[in-house]
Amino acid sequence: MGKEYTKNQIDAINCIDQNLQLIACAGSGKTEIVSKRAVNILKSKKDIKPENIVAFTFTEKAAEELKSRIYEKSVEELGEVYGLAEMYVGTIHSFCLKILQDYLAEYQKFTVLDDVKTKIFIDRNFDEIGMKQIDMARYKDTDIFMNSINILRESELEKKKLLPKIKKALEEYNACFLKHNYFDFSMIMEKAINHLEEDKDLRKRISSRIKYLIVDEYQDVNPIQEKLIRIIHELGANLCVVGDDDQTIYQWRGSEVQNILTFQKRYHRVKSIYLEDNFRSSEGIIDIAHSTILNNIERLPKKMKVKGDYKYEEEDIIYREFIKEEDEWQFIAKTIKSLLKIGLNYSDIAILIRIKRLGSQLIRVLEENGIKFIVEGVNELFSTPEAQASKAIFDYLNGNIDKGVLKSVWLSINYRPNEKLLDDAIGQLKKWLPGRYKFYHDYIFQTIFQEFLDNIELKEEESSLNPDLEIILYNLGKFSQVIHDFESIYFKTPPESKLNSFCSFLNYTAGDYYPEGHLQNAYIRPNAVRIMTIHQAKGLEFGAVFVPGLSKNIFPHKRPGGKSVWHYLDKSLIKNQQRYESGNIEDERRLFYVAVTRAKKFLYLTRAVYNQRMNRYPSSFLIEAKHSHFIFDGKVDYSGRQKIKFETKEPTRIMLNFSILKDYYSCPYRFKLSFFYGFVQPIAPPMGYGRALHNIVMDIHRKVTNKEKITEKDLGVIIDGHFHLPYADERTTANMRKNADRSIADYFNKNCTDFDKIKFIEKNIEINFGNGVRVSGRIDLVKRKDIGEKEKTFIVDFKTAERTIIEDVTEEQLKIYAIGYKELTGEDADFIEVYNLDNNEPTRKKIEQGDLKKTKSIIFKAAEDIVENRLNKVCNMDKCKNCYLNYLCLTEKKKKEFKIKE
């Protein structure tokens, strides 16, 4: 979409003095308008700073897109805008965590568990986490229990009427998480809301900071999220909600479509603007989408209008019905080949499925036809030979298989290891039999796994990339993450028990959690047809879209049977409970609408008789689509067509942070091993010490800048609030605590006279280098001191011996801090100071402004190398000896050269 805006778009951009409900139809350019409106607020309201604007997005990917647009438009229209890094653009969960950890020091030691780790944690703590209270079984009912807890927290319900055992289960669940300093996703929101309701000081801070709140995908917010939005609005924030009720597709997760349908009734001074112009799709696509969604009763009245460049031609939109499933898949394969002949790339094409089981036969047919594809969101890591081979290492140690089976599975991978090396590696596994170990910190799965890979020398050649080995390394890296997920929860478990639990996890649970490794690479998107669920396709667009499976009981999907949360929770206590139960016809129709509107020009709706008893009849949505005059049953023949090219809507965007750059600067190949392949550093008992010291120092700084009086006697209480080593035994914890007491006392005594020189504490920085490249990070401390007759600015970064290894700050990274400080404040910094908290020794370096231009060119090269996969090994003794991933990189010859001991 160009820069010529429609009247409604202009009205939306200029509506900044009253609450705004922006109903944005598919393809209407909402991100463009929302970003333009944010810049207009900064332009029009001289008293508004970037930090006064908050935008909630549904995903982190959407946040990156929106913030990139805001940066670009700010530069275009306002020139230099200082402090854009202080504008929060991200998910509601991340915002709640930021509130808790920025304003409430006691939460800085908390870690958020994702869904996989939450499930592992629940199983690990079955006896005390509440499952017993409601007669649920470990492993078997974990998903149901987790969903029940989320519903209890996130819904509007009559809590007073809950059964005592349900209340008790919720209390035990919360207590168990808090005991271990963990949050799950819904707990973050619950805690943030509780504090905002009860803490007057926090309310005052949020009220003074947030003046404008933007909520994207508003149709998908649930009751607890709406409660947070309401609180922020009542604290004085102007509210803009953006969404489309026709695209509400997450009710089964608790999304409440009534929020968007009743917004005008629930908020005052609301201006509603409809963005009905579709700049994405052809007239035919829009007509089919409209002809189906009109059958929904619960929707706001609107109709998309054609404003895109793609013209409808006959045979652009086809429906086909087949007796045999095989014929449907062959039709899809043949049509893809026809599309390639008229200029489409594989990446212009998507196959959107309603249920995952449709994918297996389709995949076989695509492979037979030589069509490149990737399957997204299908958790099939453990169907790969290398994941099965990795699993076999631990089955062997646990006595589940013998040496012959272990050897055979490793010889079956697509990059056959040297047989002698494999025999030796298996022989060396004997030293890892769990009965030989007494202490948990001596028996670390990640170390066992990495040592085995080192011993079989499964390493990329330096001279060239082997595609087969690259895929294998992606999956081995994902298995390394599987180990980390489990071990981070079970680390402090006796070796034999831990190994037995891990094998059970791999055998019965993990298979449903993990996709193949290469699908996690956020930087490289191969030229391939994308097979994904419709839910995953939300927000995407393609030149050609296939929607197979349009048969009754598949799409619309038949409500699943079996045990569910409603065997334990009383439906009548939960407002609008039916939204949680998939299968509602209007919900399914919205999903079909989303699938259709992903297409720019070509759309293929197909079905077959998959099961005579269940799927004999066509989907009601296919019947509704046939009422459009733009679709017909016919053969695909594009032989007379002119070639067509679909332009990429947005340039490639790459977001770098200091962790990424630290690995890249040290060795581009180490970056590849960690961020592309996903290999994880083994857990060590002292982990967390550096973070604890950092948080303690930051808390001291906050207190003194808030005019609190602190003496050396107060330090113990502050340290108690932050000191947490999740993997350490009692002896290690006691020793590290002594070190912390000494280091913090020394820091306080040596620096307390300078505390009045502090200007900023933990300031976010974000640098827009242009061409889609941005770098983010956080400066620990900025202080100003009089040096001679002039006041000088010091940027201070704190580290410990642990952080020296894990978060080494290179000279180039320090220069990035200086660039970020300039973009944050408009001022030049004079010195960078790296402060080692272990020995309380500062190291300063003068910032030479001329060097910063060189740093920018290095950033561009890093981004290009990452996108182009130019990530070569940089071998030298100093770097390789201390690299925690050298086992995957160094050959035996290099190890001897660098004198690295096994």
Side-chain angles (χ1 to χ4, degrees):
M1 193 182 75
K3 293 189 179 180
E4 294 294 323
Y5 299 116
T6 67
K7 180 184 182 304
N8 281 9
Q9 288 177 329
I10 292 170
D11 288 346
I13 291 166
N14 292 329
C15 180
I16 59 177
D17 290 319
Q18 65 187 103
N19 296 321
L20 173 62
Q21 181 186 35
L22 196 57
I23 304 300
C25 292
S28 61
K30 65 169 183 175
T31 305
E32 170 81 9
I33 302 309
V34 170
S35 57
K36 179 82 172 175
R37 179 178 180 270
V39 174
N40 192 35
I41 291 168
L42 294 174
K43 182 196 293 187
S44 305
K45 302 287 185 178
K46 300 305 178 185
D47 58 333
I48 296 297
K49 299 176 182 178
E51 66 179 24
N52 300 137
I53 301 174
V54 166
F56 293 154
T57 60
F58 196 67
T59 64
E60 294 294 351
K61 181 181 177 182
E64 287 302 322
E65 171 70 16
L66 178 56
K67 194 151 195 182
S68 290
R69 294 272 197 101
I70 291 172
Y71 266 83
E72 291 162 7
K73 295 194 176 305
S74 295
V75 172
E76 288 174 9
E77 299 190 31
L78 305 174
E80 287 187 308
V81 179
Y82 299 120
L84 277 174
E86 297 286 274
M87 181 189 296
Y88 179 85
V89 181
T91 65
I92 293 179
H93 295 98
S94 295
F95 175 80
C96 290
L97 182 64
K98 183 175 173 61
I99 285 179
L100 293 172
Q101 295 191 329
D102 281 1
Y103 296 113
L104 301 159
E106 65 264 32
Y107 293 115
Q108 288 182 344
K109 63 185 176 184
F110 275 66
T111 300
V112 180
L113 300 185
D114 62 19
D115 285 345
V116 172
K117 287 182 182 176
T118 295
K119 291 174 186 177
I120 297 171
F121 181 77
I122 290 170
D123 290 333
R124 171 74 175 85
N125 295 279
F126 173 78
D127 290 333
E128 57 178 307
I129 206 161
M131 287 184 76
K132 279 186 172 182
Q133 289 288 339
I134 45 181
D135 304 316
M136 288 190 183
R138 177 186 267 165
Y139 305 121
K140 185 179 177 181
D141 295 328
T142 304
D143 279 337
I144 293 175
F145 180 67
M146 188 171 155
N147 290 337
S148 298
I149 294 294
N150 289 337
I151 289 171
L152 290 171
R153 284 220 197 90
E154 297 180 3
S155 301
E156 287 184 77
L157 75 160
E158 305 256 4
K159 285 191 177 178
K160 292 180 180 178
K161 295 183 181 179
L162 288 175
L163 291 174
K165 65 179 183 179
I166 298 291
K167 288 182 180 179
K168 184 67 174 175
L170 185 57
E171 289 170 5
E172 289 185 358
Y173 181 93
N174 289 339
C176 190
F177 267 77
L178 296 176
K179 173 185 172 183
H180 291 85
N181 297 306
Y182 287 142
F183 286 136
D184 68 12
F185 287 130
S186 60
M187 190 182 291
I188 303 170
M189 293 189 291
E190 184 181 56
K191 281 287 178 187
I193 287 172
N194 288 344
H195 282 287
L196 279 169
E197 288 180 327
E198 298 168 7
D199 187 332
K200 291 182 180 179
D201 181 60
L202 180 59
R203 289 173 65 85
K204 185 177 179 182
R205 291 186 180 197
I206 296 300
S207 177
S208 65
R209 175 162 183 178
I210 304 177
K211 302 301 181 184
Y212 285 87
L213 176 62
I214 301 164
V215 184
D216 192 18
E217 304 289 3
Y218 184 66
Q219 75 279 354
D220 288 324
V221 303
N222 62 30
I224 194 173
Q225 292 168 335
E226 171 62 21
K227 188 173 184 180
L228 176 69
I229 292 164
R230 168 67 75 173
I231 289 171
I232 295 173
H233 171 64
E234 288 176 348
L235 289 174
N238 168 280
L239 181 57
C240 168
V241 299
V242 187
D244 179 7
D245 53 293
D246 289 335
Q247 298 185 69
T248 308
I249 61 173
Y250 290 101
Q251 289 94 323
W252 49 278
R253 288 184 185 172
S255 298
E256 177 55 272
V257 71
Q258 289 299 319
N259 286 326
I260 195 167
L261 294 177
T262 64
F263 182 79
Q264 275 195 307
K265 297 177 182 177
R266 294 181 296 107
Y267 289 87
H268 300 296
R269 295 188 67 242
V270 173
K271 183 172 184 178
S272 285
I273 298 176
Y274 285 67
L275 301 183
E276 297 175 298
D277 294 316
N278 182 303
F279 297 90
R280 174 191 299 156
S281 304
S282 71
E283 181 183 8
I285 303 293
I286 291 172
D287 188 74
I288 287 173
H290 187 66
S291 66
T292 55
I293 202 64
L294 271 180
N295 292 283
N296 270 11
I297 296 170
E298 200 172 52
R299 67 184 294 267
L300 297 170
K302 55 189 173 298
K303 184 177 181 180
M304 284 189 292
K305 301 168 187 172
V306 183
K307 284 293 179 76
D309 296 328
Y310 298 109
K311 304 299 182 186
Y312 169 80
E313 300 173 76
E314 284 190 4
E315 298 180 357
D316 280 359
I317 304 173
I318 298 291
Y319 76 86
R320 294 294 302 273
E321 299 184 62
F322 302 93
I323 300 298
K324 296 180 180 178
E325 186 177 351
E326 176 80 10
D327 293 339
E328 181 180 19
W329 309 139
Q330 291 292 349
F331 167 78
I332 291 174
K334 181 180 178 182
T335 304
I336 290 172
K337 289 181 177 180
S338 297
L339 291 169
L340 296 175
K341 289 178 182 178
I342 59 170
L344 274 73
N345 293 311
Y346 284 119
S347 56
D348 293 323
I349 303 168
I351 303 172
L352 307 183
I353 56 178
R354 177 61 184 94
I355 57 174
K356 293 178 181 179
R357 72 173 175 81
L358 286 179
S360 57
Q361 290 301 312
L362 170 62
I363 287 167
R364 175 185 58 78
V365 171
L366 294 182
E367 287 174 340
E368 290 172 355
N369 282 272
I371 292 170
K372 296 179 182 178
F373 65 91
I374 56 173
V375 184
E376 301 189 37
V378 178
N379 296 328
E380 296 202 351
L381 174 68
F382 285 91
S383 68
T384 66
E386 46 275 14
Q388 285 297 314
S390 301
K391 173 182 173 295
I393 295 170
F394 299 95
D395 281 332
Y396 170 71
L397 290 172
N398 202 42
N400 301 336
I401 61 172
D402 61 24
K403 180 167 61 176
V405 174
L406 175 59
K407 181 177 179 178
S408 67
V409 292
W410 274 100
L411 289 176
S412 71
I413 67 173
N414 294 332
Y415 190 83
R416 187 183 178 97
N418 179 287
E419 199 161 343
K420 183 181 183 307
L421 291 177
L422 180 59
D423 285 332
D424 291 344
I426 293 172
Q428 291 186 51
L429 280 177
K430 289 181 180 178
K431 73 178 183 182
W432 289 113
L433 292 171
R436 297 185 174 192
Y437 294 86
K438 182 178 180 181
F439 302 109
Y440 67 81
H441 51 75
D442 293 326
Y443 198 72
I444 302 173
F445 294 156
Q446 198 75 250
T447 301
I448 297 170
F449 177 62
Q450 294 177 1
E451 183 181 281
F452 186 89
L453 295 182
D454 188 16
N455 289 337
I456 64 174
E457 293 205 352
L458 202 67
K459 309 176 197 295
E460 280 184 304
E461 297 294 328
E462 293 185 45
S463 57
S464 63
L465 295 175
N466 182 309
D468 290 336
L469 181 56
E470 194 168 30
I471 290 295
I472 289 168
L473 287 171
Y474 269 115
N475 289 329
L476 293 175
K478 177 57 71 173
F479 192 86
S480 174
Q481 293 174 52
V482 174
I483 292 173
H484 181 75
D485 285 348
F486 180 88
E487 204 156 32
S488 63
I489 303 299
Y490 275 83
F491 188 77
K492 296 168 75 168
T493 307
E496 287 193 71
S497 174
K498 177 178 163 184
L499 179 59
N500 188 56
S501 295
F502 185 51
C503 288
S504 295
F505 172 68
L506 295 178
N507 283 323
Y508 304 116
T509 309
D512 294 330
Y513 293 173
Y514 297 96
E516 291 183 51
H518 67 279
L519 297 176
Q520 301 297 294
N521 190 330
Y523 300 103
I524 295 176
R525 180 62 63 187
N527 181 22
V529 175
R530 294 169 72 175
I531 304 173
M532 65 181 78
T533 66
I534 301 168
H535 286 95
Q536 290 171 305
K538 181 76 186 300
L540 303 178
E541 57 184 49
F542 302 92
V545 168
F546 293 83
V547 186
L550 285 167
S551 289
K552 186 178 180 181
N553 295 323
I554 290 181
F555 197 5
H557 187 43
K558 183 182 179 183
R559 185 173 297 175
K563 189 191 288 187
S564 72
V565 296
W566 309 115
H567 286 80
Y568 302 92
L569 302 183
D570 184 347
K571 294 181 180 182
S572 67
L573 301 183
I574 296 166
K575 186 177 179 180
N576 196 12
Q577 175 275 338
Q578 66 272 14
R579 71 187 188 277
Y580 285 103
E581 301 191 58
S582 59
N584 175 298
I585 190 66
E586 294 211 352
D587 293 345
E588 290 286 296
R589 189 175 284 111
R590 293 184 186 106
L591 196 58
F592 180 74
Y593 175 86
V594 167
V596 168
T597 54
R598 299 311 94 196
K600 297 178 182 178
K601 182 171 173 63
F602 298 98
L603 176 67
Y604 307 93
L605 307 179
T606 63
R607 68 171 290 260
V609 179
Y610 311 100
N611 179 302
Q612 280 289 344
R613 186 172 64 86
M614 297 288 292
N615 315 128
R616 290 178 60 192
Y617 302 107
S619 163
S620 55
F621 304 148
L622 180 58
I623 295 171
E624 291 166 4
K626 289 181 186 180
H627 286 283
S628 169
H629 299 299
F630 293 89
I631 186 171
F632 59 89
D633 181 356
K635 294 182 178 180
V636 174
D637 181 9
Y638 298 140
S639 56
R641 289 278 186 106
Q642 290 186 338
K643 291 210 168 185
I644 184 171
K645 183 173 177 61
F646 291 100
E647 297 295 333
T648 302
K649 186 177 179 182
E650 291 298 330
T652 300
R653 302 184 190 279
I654 183 165
M655 183 67 172
L656 304 173
N657 58 48
F658 294 138
S659 294
I660 290 173
L661 290 170
K662 173 258 303 179
D663 271 349
Y664 174 85
Y665 286 141
S666 177
C667 172
Y669 189 69
R670 187 169 98 173
F671 167 82
K672 184 175 185 178
L673 289 172
S674 59
F675 285 88
F676 272 25
Y677 293 147
F679 286 95
V680 183
Q681 183 176 12
I683 292 172
M687 279 186 173
Y689 179 74
R691 176 186 174 188
L693 256 62
H694 177 272
N695 290 341
I696 292 163
V697 169
M698 294 304 112
D699 197 17
I700 291 171
H701 295 159
R702 283 193 199 90
K703 290 180 185 300
V704 296
T705 54
N706 288 334
K707 309 303 181 185
E708 294 183 39
K709 289 186 179 180
I710 297 178
T711 66
E712 192 172 351
K713 293 180 181 179
D714 300 316
L715 297 181
V717 175
I718 297 173
I719 295 171
D720 286 341
H722 294 279
F723 196 78
H724 175 58
L725 304 182
Y727 308 118
D729 56 25
E730 289 184 8
R731 176 190 250 177
T732 302
T733 300
N735 289 336
M736 301 299 281
R737 175 59 193 257
K738 288 179 183 177
N739 292 340
D741 289 342
R742 174 186 52 77
S743 294
I744 295 302
D746 286 350
Y747 175 77
F748 182 82
N749 291 326
K750 289 180 179 179
N751 295 278
C752 60
T753 56
D754 274 352
F755 286 162
D756 61 341
K757 307 292 193 300
I758 293 174
K759 183 180 180 184
F760 292 133
I761 303 163
E762 285 200 304
K763 273 290 185 182
N764 293 318
I765 62 170
E766 205 160 290
I767 310 160
N768 182 24
F769 287 97
N771 294 334
V773 180
R774 286 174 34 236
V775 177
S776 67
R778 208 173 207 195
I779 295 174
D780 286 346
L781 183 72
V782 177
K783 60 183 180 180
R784 285 180 172 170
K785 296 177 70 174
D786 292 329
I787 306 295
E789 297 181 356
K790 293 185 178 180
E791 186 180 61
K792 300 291 184 180
T793 300
F794 294 74
I795 297 174
V796 184
D797 184 77
F798 292 92
K799 67 177 183 177
T800 64
E802 179 195 337
R803 289 183 74 202
T804 304
I805 297 170
I806 299 173
E807 301 174 28
D808 186 26
V809 181
T810 67
E811 184 175 331
E812 288 301 329
Q813 285 176 300
L814 297 177
K815 292 173 185 174
I816 293 171
Y817 281 116
I819 298 170
Y821 179 75
K822 177 69 179 280
E823 293 218 359
L824 184 69
T825 65
E827 301 173 358
D828 292 323
D830 300 295
F831 292 94
I832 288 290
E833 181 177 297
V834 178
Y835 195 103
N836 190 327
L837 289 168
D838 283 328
N839 55 22
N840 277 284
E841 181 180 315
T843 303
R844 280 179 215 94
K845 182 175 180 62
K846 192 175 189 307
I847 298 170
E848 302 293 342
Q849 297 299 320
D851 289 345
L852 300 186
K853 291 182 180 179
K854 296 178 184 177
T855 297
K856 291 184 178 181
S857 66
I858 292 172
I859 296 293
F860 280 122
K861 183 178 185 305
E864 289 175 2
D865 286 349
I866 290 168
V867 171
E868 297 297 328
N869 198 7
R870 295 194 300 260
L871 302 167
N872 300 320
K873 299 178 182 181
V874 178
C875 295
N876 67 61
M877 185 180 295
D878 291 336
K879 288 183 177 180
C880 293
K881 283 185 75 170
N882 294 319
C883 177
Y884 67 91
L885 290 173
N886 62 33
Y887 72 95
L888 275 170
C889 181
L890 296 182
T891 61
E892 291 301 313
K893 181 179 178 182
K894 278 289 184 185
K895 287 181 185 176
K896 290 175 182 176
E897 180 185 333
F898 294 159
K899 297 179 181 177
I900 295 175
K901 294 181 180 179
E902 293 295 331

